[in-house]
Amino acid sequence: MMRRRGGYNVEIIATGDEILFGRIVDTNSSWIERRAAELGARIRRVTCVGDDVDEIAGALQEALTRRNDLIIFTGGLGPSEDDLTVEAIGRAVGRRVVLDQGAVEKIRRGYAERGVRSTARLERMGRVLEGSKAIPNPVGMATGMMLLEGGAVIMTFPGVPAEMKGMFDEYAAPLIERGAGSKFVARTVTARMVFRDFFPMYRRMLRDHPDVYIKNASTPPEDAEERAKVKEIKVDIIVEGATRFESEEKMEAVLEEFRKRIEALQGRLLID
């Protein structure tokens, strides 16, 4: 296991029955995990809950007990009756749901430009909580919000990936960068070598670099003859440093050592 420094703690809560029913894949959480980790965050937990006020509120209350710095919600900000993220957060923290007037005006203008009359249902996408700050949506209509509760910042983003990504980079990313004490660099490489020679070398790399995440993605063949053949083995490597420059330098050093060990066994290191 990679030995981590302290860090900026982040949890992700994705909402939506469609995720729990397996109708869509929760790509938002995986994207946020990767992006936040690169910025230096420590991802504490990823939770998926359905469109239920009590379930969402309970997930937030649990997350607040873990002393996170940032809790990110995705989904549940639309105009439908089952879009309940704002209401659930309000229940969890004891705040009243209100409409952000700036967001409502944007919704009205946006639909007017399409020749559609705005309705109270559509204007639900302007919901925030009393005392929170609205997060503008540069792509769609559903506004996000940011509030401080129990020492943690809570942010909400729409479930539409294009909308979520832009809002994350504009509002969450700078917050993480300011709070994180380190930066991460990740690479995926391929070891092309005799399979039976790989694991002894791999275990030595793990032992010699306890501060580096090194994980292979391979299942050993059961047949001895297959283990004696040259195979391509994917390996993920993640390094941590105080700055991105330090992390890049550390990555190059780890890759160079990995390359030498593989070549000593008549193999090759392929960098994707």
Side-chain angles (χ1 to χ4, degrees):
M1 179 180 291
M2 181 180 184
R3 294 176 187 169
R4 298 285 310 271
R5 304 177 183 183
Y8 191 85
N9 296 322
V10 174
E11 281 202 30
I12 304 163
I13 301 174
T15 70
D17 286 343
E18 64 274 22
I19 301 173
L20 294 183
F21 290 145
R23 307 314 301 171
I24 67 168
V25 176
D26 177 21
T27 58
N28 282 348
S29 291
S30 60
W31 186 90
I32 293 171
E33 288 175 78
R34 185 169 193 164
R35 182 83 177 92
E38 289 171 350
L39 293 165
R42 178 187 179 209
I43 309 301
R44 295 287 301 278
R45 189 168 300 196
V46 178
T47 304
C48 178
V49 294
D51 297 313
D52 181 279
V53 169
D54 291 332
E55 291 283 348
I56 299 169
L60 174 57
Q61 288 168 338
E62 288 183 18
L64 288 169
T65 67
R66 287 187 281 271
R67 298 182 181 178
N68 288 292
D69 297 293
L70 175 62
I71 300 168
I72 296 173
F73 281 84
T74 66
L77 305 184
S80 301
E81 291 183 358
D82 60 355
D83 287 313
L84 300 167
T85 295
V86 178
E87 287 83 354
I89 296 173
R91 178 174 297 185
V93 301
R95 299 200 191 195
R96 188 167 62 93
V97 177
V98 296
L99 290 176
D100 179 77
Q101 289 307 307
V104 170
E105 287 303 319
K106 178 188 174 183
I107 292 166
R108 290 171 179 169
R109 288 195 304 271
Y111 281 104
E113 289 169 1
R114 304 176 191 179
V116 178
R117 182 176 174 274
S118 182
T119 64
R121 185 180 73 85
L122 293 173
E123 290 170 11
R124 277 170 48 83
M125 291 186 286
R127 288 164 297 162
V128 295
L129 293 180
E130 199 171 41
S132 69
K133 176 182 178 182
I135 297 178
N137 184 337
V139 178
M141 297 293 184
T143 191
M145 70 174 179
M146 175 170 57
L147 67 149
L148 182 64
E149 181 67 33
V153 175
I154 301 169
M155 286 189 176
T156 64
F157 299 126
V160 179
E163 298 178 23
M164 177 276 295
K165 291 176 182 179
M167 294 165 75
F168 178 94
D169 282 340
E170 181 71 21
Y171 294 94
L175 197 65
I176 295 171
E177 284 195 297
R178 288 195 299 270
S182 56
K183 297 291 182 289
F184 292 85
V185 170
R187 300 290 289 273
T188 299
V189 299
T190 302
R192 191 175 191 277
M193 60 188 296
V194 173
F195 197 93
R196 68 186 177 198
D197 294 337
F198 172 78
F199 280 94
M201 179 273 301
Y202 170 75
R203 285 191 287 269
R204 287 193 294 272
M205 281 291 293
L206 292 177
R207 180 196 65 206
D208 295 342
H209 297 279
D211 60 335
V212 176
Y213 177 90
I214 307 173
K215 183 73 172 181
N216 80 88
S218 181
T219 302
E222 295 182 5
D223 186 83
E225 186 176 336
E226 284 297 312
R227 291 197 294 271
K229 293 181 180 179
V230 172
K231 302 287 185 180
E232 291 192 349
I233 304 160
K234 292 282 187 182
V235 181
D236 286 323
I237 301 174
I238 304 174
V239 301
E240 178 183 13
T243 65
R244 181 159 295 279
F245 178 75
E246 181 183 310
S247 296
E248 293 281 3
E249 281 198 324
K250 187 174 181 179
M251 175 64 80
E252 290 306 313
V254 170
L255 290 176
E256 183 59 26
E257 182 178 345
F258 202 27
R259 187 196 314 275
K260 287 179 180 177
R261 295 192 188 198
I262 291 171
E263 289 178 351
L265 297 169
Q266 314 306 312
R268 291 179 59 202
L269 179 67
L270 310 175
I271 300 177
D272 295 353

